[in-house]
Amino acid sequence: MRCDVRQVMLKPPSPDPLYGMHDEEQLIDFSDVDIRLPMLVYMSREKRPGYDHNKKAGAMNALVRCSAVMSNGPFILNFDCDHYINNAQAIREAMCFVMDRGGERIAYIQFPQRFEGIDPSDRYANNNTVFFDGNMRALDGLQGPMYVGTGCMFRRFALYGFDPPRTTEYTGLLFKKKKVTLSKVADPAGETDTQSLNHKQQGGGGAVDFDAELTSMIVPRRFGNSSALMASIPVAEFQARPLADHPAVQHGRPPGSLTVPRPPLDPPTVAEAVSVISCWYEDKTEWGDRVGWIYGSVTEDVVSGYRMHNRGWRSVYCIPKRDAFLGTAPINMTDRLHQVLRWATGSVEIFFSRNNAFLASRRLMFLQRVAYLNVGIYPFTSIFLLVYCFIPALSLFSGFFIVQTLNVAFLCYLLTITITLIALGILEVKWSGIELEDWWRNEQFWLISGTSAHLYAVVQGLLKVMAGIEISFTLTAKAAVEDNEDIYADLYVVKWSSLLIPPITIGMINLIAIAFAFARTVYSDNPRWGKFIGGGFFSFWVLAHLYPFAKGLMGRRGKTPTIVFVWSGLISITISLLWVAISPPEASSGGRSAGFQFP
């Protein structure tokens, strides 16, 4: 059992400004600079045997409740422990979105993930350049990018499960606006701004004004029994409103309304903060189901963002000139595949849950719905990708080309599809500013992960959904194992994992098929090199995608586990012999070669 730990590292700043001291010997005068620092609190939540603590999502929800009682900032910044702030001004850029006209409907501002310590060639596409600079920027033109778990600034009010002040309902390609009027909980006629805010702070049932279905009987079931937490909700909503300095701002706050002095922390407030993060507080509440970060999925970040978009909120993708956050990523091949396996397994869980975009409300835009459908469906494409990787080898073994007849109509169709795909790829790369090498690395790792991690994720997801078998995941190690002088030492480390078997099997079968077809063509009475080149091209194309994987297996000193090649070789030989047994090659008419007979 681990008990609560609460320590206020820096107390809340007083309303009176604290100016710097003037020293005649200093070249810069700091006497007019406010040197106050914001309150800093260290928190470690309670954990007891028999309670499900819901990992990262549970910790985030505990932080939301604790901060609501102690500070109640209207916006929350979230980034992982392996990230750090690289641009302190990026938060100001994010605030420009939420404080502008229409900003009251923005639930969160997502920043791109940037990493350091990645090898210059980015062998395993750790930077995810195509996703962060292509896909996420494209989603910014819809309801906004999805939440990726780090580097994100949230509106606290949106985390409480409320609808935005204005929603737009979409029905197919037609849409109509439905204006939702919020009850006035602040700025009543005849009162000053300070009195309005004080009135909000004293009322504990102000959240009822934001949701017509939320009654006094439902409030404890949704948020828990903390009156201080309930009293903080309308205050956070009011403080996050854009400034009402323009007639177009319909739900703004008057200027000067946030100048009310913050009351100092007292023992009852600290005791209430301890109470809201206890392990029993979420029992029989909607925390993790509707309120806060959503439980029940490995990818709780995507699910939480989806729930907000499904209620009508929007999000914004903010790309400052200087990267907002920098972090580390696993550059080892095995750790990278395990990381992708967790993401893909979470996507399969989303597909078989009520968070499937097929079941979304009408407030989710059509194209946004398609984007979320892709999140849940993409692991299943590994089945077709696996077939695609084996078909060229089977074609070389059998001696029959993939297409039986090559007529003019088919070749014109194939040429048209190829030119169209190339043109679309060029336009996407040109629009997003992605380097061609980054795009090619993404394509290579898509095949590597698709035939290994994505395939395993489908199996694990089906086992969890159908049999209820929980899957344990391997945490990625981001530090180099040896050779501390080389920052890329971990890149050359090869660790045994069953995820390595499918790509190795695919590579070995295609190599055996090319060698088999070449030998058959050389010793044939009527060599047909055109058929061999046509079939060998597709196998070579598969092997070209597997090049980073093969290079990673070699390691730095050839330390690849022998068991990897033993199992892959046995599987490759078995499949090859099985195919020859099913479809044995015919004997040549000249009698130079006898037909193969399976022993």
PDB file of all heavy atoms in Angstrom, residues 210-226:
ATOM      1  N   PHE A 210     -25.121  24.264 -16.916  1.00  0.00           N
ATOM      2  CA  PHE A 210     -24.466  23.911 -18.154  1.00  0.00           C
ATOM      3  C   PHE A 210     -25.043  22.650 -18.792  1.00  0.00           C
ATOM      4  O   PHE A 210     -24.682  22.309 -19.904  1.00  0.00           O
ATOM      5  CB  PHE A 210     -22.964  23.708 -17.917  1.00  0.00           C
ATOM      6  CG  PHE A 210     -22.306  24.871 -17.255  1.00  0.00           C
ATOM      7  CD1 PHE A 210     -21.685  24.729 -16.027  1.00  0.00           C
ATOM      8  CD2 PHE A 210     -22.313  26.119 -17.849  1.00  0.00           C
ATOM      9  CE1 PHE A 210     -21.080  25.797 -15.410  1.00  0.00           C
ATOM     10  CE2 PHE A 210     -21.704  27.184 -17.240  1.00  0.00           C
ATOM     11  CZ  PHE A 210     -21.092  27.033 -16.014  1.00  0.00           C
ATOM     12  N   ASP A 211     -25.851  21.927 -18.089  1.00  0.00           N
ATOM     13  CA  ASP A 211     -26.385  20.663 -18.578  1.00  0.00           C
ATOM     14  C   ASP A 211     -27.806  20.513 -18.056  1.00  0.00           C
ATOM     15  O   ASP A 211     -28.022  20.405 -16.848  1.00  0.00           O
ATOM     16  CB  ASP A 211     -25.517  19.498 -18.115  1.00  0.00           C
ATOM     17  CG  ASP A 211     -25.850  18.201 -18.835  1.00  0.00           C
ATOM     18  OD1 ASP A 211     -26.947  18.115 -19.427  1.00  0.00           O
ATOM     19  OD2 ASP A 211     -25.019  17.277 -18.814  1.00  0.00           O
ATOM     20  N   ALA A 212     -28.761  20.497 -18.976  1.00  0.00           N
ATOM     21  CA  ALA A 212     -30.157  20.414 -18.560  1.00  0.00           C
ATOM     22  C   ALA A 212     -30.487  19.086 -17.899  1.00  0.00           C
ATOM     23  O   ALA A 212     -31.418  18.999 -17.099  1.00  0.00           O
ATOM     24  CB  ALA A 212     -31.078  20.638 -19.770  1.00  0.00           C
ATOM     25  N   GLU A 213     -29.740  18.043 -18.234  1.00  0.00           N
ATOM     26  CA  GLU A 213     -30.009  16.723 -17.658  1.00  0.00           C
ATOM     27  C   GLU A 213     -29.342  16.520 -16.301  1.00  0.00           C
ATOM     28  O   GLU A 213     -29.597  15.527 -15.635  1.00  0.00           O
ATOM     29  CB  GLU A 213     -29.526  15.628 -18.633  1.00  0.00           C
ATOM     30  CG  GLU A 213     -30.204  15.676 -19.985  1.00  0.00           C
ATOM     31  CD  GLU A 213     -29.665  14.615 -20.915  1.00  0.00           C
ATOM     32  OE1 GLU A 213     -28.725  13.899 -20.497  1.00  0.00           O
ATOM     33  OE2 GLU A 213     -30.163  14.503 -22.048  1.00  0.00           O
ATOM     34  N   LEU A 214     -28.479  17.438 -15.920  1.00  0.00           N
ATOM     35  CA  LEU A 214     -27.731  17.282 -14.681  1.00  0.00           C
ATOM     36  C   LEU A 214     -28.529  17.860 -13.523  1.00  0.00           C
ATOM     37  O   LEU A 214     -28.599  19.075 -13.334  1.00  0.00           O
ATOM     38  CB  LEU A 214     -26.376  17.981 -14.793  1.00  0.00           C
ATOM     39  CG  LEU A 214     -25.347  17.667 -13.706  1.00  0.00           C
ATOM     40  CD1 LEU A 214     -24.990  16.197 -13.719  1.00  0.00           C
ATOM     41  CD2 LEU A 214     -24.103  18.515 -13.903  1.00  0.00           C
ATOM     42  N   THR A 215     -29.144  17.008 -12.734  1.00  0.00           N
ATOM     43  CA  THR A 215     -29.921  17.428 -11.578  1.00  0.00           C
ATOM     44  C   THR A 215     -29.096  17.288 -10.308  1.00  0.00           C
ATOM     45  O   THR A 215     -28.010  16.724 -10.311  1.00  0.00           O
ATOM     46  CB  THR A 215     -31.205  16.590 -11.471  1.00  0.00           C
ATOM     47  OG1 THR A 215     -30.846  15.215 -11.236  1.00  0.00           O
ATOM     48  CG2 THR A 215     -32.020  16.688 -12.751  1.00  0.00           C
ATOM     49  N   SER A 216     -29.649  17.802  -9.225  1.00  0.00           N
ATOM     50  CA  SER A 216     -28.933  17.737  -7.956  1.00  0.00           C
ATOM     51  C   SER A 216     -28.737  16.306  -7.488  1.00  0.00           C
ATOM     52  O   SER A 216     -27.806  16.023  -6.719  1.00  0.00           O
ATOM     53  CB  SER A 216     -29.705  18.527  -6.891  1.00  0.00           C
ATOM     54  OG  SER A 216     -31.024  18.005  -6.745  1.00  0.00           O
ATOM     55  N   MET A 217     -29.581  15.378  -7.951  1.00  0.00           N
ATOM     56  CA  MET A 217     -29.423  13.981  -7.573  1.00  0.00           C
ATOM     57  C   MET A 217     -28.322  13.297  -8.380  1.00  0.00           C
ATOM     58  O   MET A 217     -27.695  12.347  -7.922  1.00  0.00           O
ATOM     59  CB  MET A 217     -30.743  13.236  -7.770  1.00  0.00           C
ATOM     60  CG  MET A 217     -31.892  13.788  -6.934  1.00  0.00           C
ATOM     61  SD  MET A 217     -31.584  13.569  -5.162  1.00  0.00           S
ATOM     62  CE  MET A 217     -31.642  11.789  -5.052  1.00  0.00           C
ATOM     63  N   ILE A 218     -28.090  13.796  -9.598  1.00  0.00           N
ATOM     64  CA  ILE A 218     -27.104  13.167 -10.476  1.00  0.00           C
ATOM     65  C   ILE A 218     -25.709  13.719 -10.236  1.00  0.00           C
ATOM     66  O   ILE A 218     -24.718  13.045 -10.536  1.00  0.00           O
ATOM     67  CB  ILE A 218     -27.530  13.348 -11.945  1.00  0.00           C
ATOM     68  CG1 ILE A 218     -28.913  12.738 -12.178  1.00  0.00           C
ATOM     69  CG2 ILE A 218     -26.539  12.734 -12.904  1.00  0.00           C
ATOM     70  CD1 ILE A 218     -29.431  12.905 -13.584  1.00  0.00           C
ATOM     71  N   VAL A 219     -25.605  14.928  -9.700  1.00  0.00           N
ATOM     72  CA  VAL A 219     -24.301  15.564  -9.524  1.00  0.00           C
ATOM     73  C   VAL A 219     -23.325  14.699  -8.733  1.00  0.00           C
ATOM     74  O   VAL A 219     -22.187  14.466  -9.177  1.00  0.00           O
ATOM     75  CB  VAL A 219     -24.468  16.955  -8.872  1.00  0.00           C
ATOM     76  CG1 VAL A 219     -23.127  17.480  -8.386  1.00  0.00           C
ATOM     77  CG2 VAL A 219     -25.067  17.925  -9.865  1.00  0.00           C
ATOM     78  N   PRO A 220     -23.663  14.159  -7.554  1.00  0.00           N
ATOM     79  CA  PRO A 220     -22.690  13.308  -6.838  1.00  0.00           C
ATOM     80  C   PRO A 220     -22.319  12.049  -7.597  1.00  0.00           C
ATOM     81  O   PRO A 220     -21.180  11.582  -7.507  1.00  0.00           O
ATOM     82  CB  PRO A 220     -23.420  12.973  -5.531  1.00  0.00           C
ATOM     83  CG  PRO A 220     -24.459  14.021  -5.373  1.00  0.00           C
ATOM     84  CD  PRO A 220     -24.889  14.353  -6.764  1.00  0.00           C
ATOM     85  N   ARG A 221     -23.241  11.500  -8.364  1.00  0.00           N
ATOM     86  CA  ARG A 221     -22.935  10.292  -9.118  1.00  0.00           C
ATOM     87  C   ARG A 221     -21.972  10.573 -10.260  1.00  0.00           C
ATOM     88  O   ARG A 221     -21.209   9.702 -10.668  1.00  0.00           O
ATOM     89  CB  ARG A 221     -24.221   9.665  -9.656  1.00  0.00           C
ATOM     90  CG  ARG A 221     -24.020   8.283 -10.269  1.00  0.00           C
ATOM     91  CD  ARG A 221     -25.330   7.715 -10.748  1.00  0.00           C
ATOM     92  NE  ARG A 221     -25.849   8.459 -11.896  1.00  0.00           N
ATOM     93  CZ  ARG A 221     -27.044   8.257 -12.435  1.00  0.00           C
ATOM     94  NH1 ARG A 221     -27.864   7.367 -11.911  1.00  0.00           N
ATOM     95  NH2 ARG A 221     -27.437   8.955 -13.479  1.00  0.00           N
ATOM     96  N   ARG A 222     -21.998  11.787 -10.780  1.00  0.00           N
ATOM     97  CA  ARG A 222     -21.109  12.115 -11.883  1.00  0.00           C
ATOM     98  C   ARG A 222     -19.748  12.581 -11.408  1.00  0.00           C
ATOM     99  O   ARG A 222     -18.718  12.143 -11.924  1.00  0.00           O
ATOM    100  CB  ARG A 222     -21.742  13.196 -12.764  1.00  0.00           C
ATOM    101  CG  ARG A 222     -20.850  13.612 -13.939  1.00  0.00           C
ATOM    102  CD  ARG A 222     -21.556  14.556 -14.889  1.00  0.00           C
ATOM    103  NE  ARG A 222     -22.704  13.927 -15.541  1.00  0.00           N
ATOM    104  CZ  ARG A 222     -23.441  14.525 -16.472  1.00  0.00           C
ATOM    105  NH1 ARG A 222     -23.145  15.760 -16.847  1.00  0.00           N
ATOM    106  NH2 ARG A 222     -24.459  13.903 -17.021  1.00  0.00           N
ATOM    107  N   PHE A 223     -19.700  13.483 -10.430  1.00  0.00           N
ATOM    108  CA  PHE A 223     -18.436  14.101 -10.038  1.00  0.00           C
ATOM    109  C   PHE A 223     -17.939  13.667  -8.667  1.00  0.00           C
ATOM    110  O   PHE A 223     -16.809  13.980  -8.308  1.00  0.00           O
ATOM    111  CB  PHE A 223     -18.577  15.629 -10.044  1.00  0.00           C
ATOM    112  CG  PHE A 223     -18.934  16.200 -11.382  1.00  0.00           C
ATOM    113  CD1 PHE A 223     -20.241  16.570 -11.681  1.00  0.00           C
ATOM    114  CD2 PHE A 223     -17.976  16.351 -12.362  1.00  0.00           C
ATOM    115  CE1 PHE A 223     -20.577  17.101 -12.909  1.00  0.00           C
ATOM    116  CE2 PHE A 223     -18.296  16.882 -13.600  1.00  0.00           C
ATOM    117  CZ  PHE A 223     -19.603  17.248 -13.876  1.00  0.00           C
ATOM    118  N   GLY A 224     -18.739  12.978  -7.889  1.00  0.00           N
ATOM    119  CA  GLY A 224     -18.328  12.632  -6.540  1.00  0.00           C
ATOM    120  C   GLY A 224     -18.954  13.559  -5.514  1.00  0.00           C
ATOM    121  O   GLY A 224     -19.752  14.446  -5.840  1.00  0.00           O
ATOM    122  N   ASN A 225     -18.579  13.370  -4.261  1.00  0.00           N
ATOM    123  CA  ASN A 225     -19.224  14.087  -3.165  1.00  0.00           C
ATOM    124  C   ASN A 225     -18.450  15.296  -2.681  1.00  0.00           C
ATOM    125  O   ASN A 225     -18.723  15.793  -1.594  1.00  0.00           O
ATOM    126  CB  ASN A 225     -19.432  13.128  -1.976  1.00  0.00           C
ATOM    127  CG  ASN A 225     -20.401  12.011  -2.307  1.00  0.00           C
ATOM    128  OD1 ASN A 225     -21.433  12.243  -2.943  1.00  0.00           O
ATOM    129  ND2 ASN A 225     -20.080  10.793  -1.890  1.00  0.00           N
ATOM    130  N   SER A 226     -17.511  15.781  -3.426  1.00  0.00           N
ATOM    131  CA  SER A 226     -16.719  16.934  -3.014  1.00  0.00           C
ATOM    132  C   SER A 226     -17.438  18.227  -3.400  1.00  0.00           C
ATOM    133  O   SER A 226     -17.594  18.536  -4.588  1.00  0.00           O
ATOM    134  CB  SER A 226     -15.331  16.897  -3.654  1.00  0.00           C
ATOM    135  OG  SER A 226     -14.608  18.062  -3.364  1.00  0.00           O
TER     136      SER A 226
END
